[in-house]
Amino acid sequence: MTATSPPGPADELERYVGLETAEAERQARSRGWRILRSVAPGAMVTMEFRAGRLNFEVEADRVKRAWQG
């Protein structure tokens, strides 16, 4: 990421919590997120920051948490 790279679209990430995974992904793409990643609670993930990536922690096909990078 360069100093001029935006971290991602301006978005309220809490709006995704409680949505079914497919609906959350559809909404995220429509708001400009380029990369989406869904992970299970407690899953090991890389800590590298990727501009434009939105992460979802998903359990029972529902988003429990959303964060960028």
Side-chain angles (χ1 to χ4, degrees):
M1 182 167 98
T2 66
T4 59
S5 296
D11 200 358
E12 294 178 30
L13 302 183
E14 289 298 314
R15 77 172 67 227
Y16 299 103
V17 175
L19 294 178
E20 289 184 349
T21 306
E23 178 61 16
E25 290 175 354
R26 185 192 67 73
Q27 288 185 26
R29 288 197 192 286
S30 74
R31 291 186 178 108
W33 292 99
R34 296 185 328 246
I35 306 165
L36 302 175
R37 176 170 65 172
S38 295
V39 298
M44 294 181 67
V45 296
T46 62
M47 295 304 293
E48 91 182 276
F49 182 88
R50 297 212 38 204
R53 177 170 64 192
L54 180 58
N55 301 286
F56 294 131
E57 181 178 282
V58 176
E59 185 172 35
D61 198 37
R62 295 262 175 202
V63 175
K64 292 182 65 176
R65 181 171 74 106
W67 71 100
Q68 67 179 14

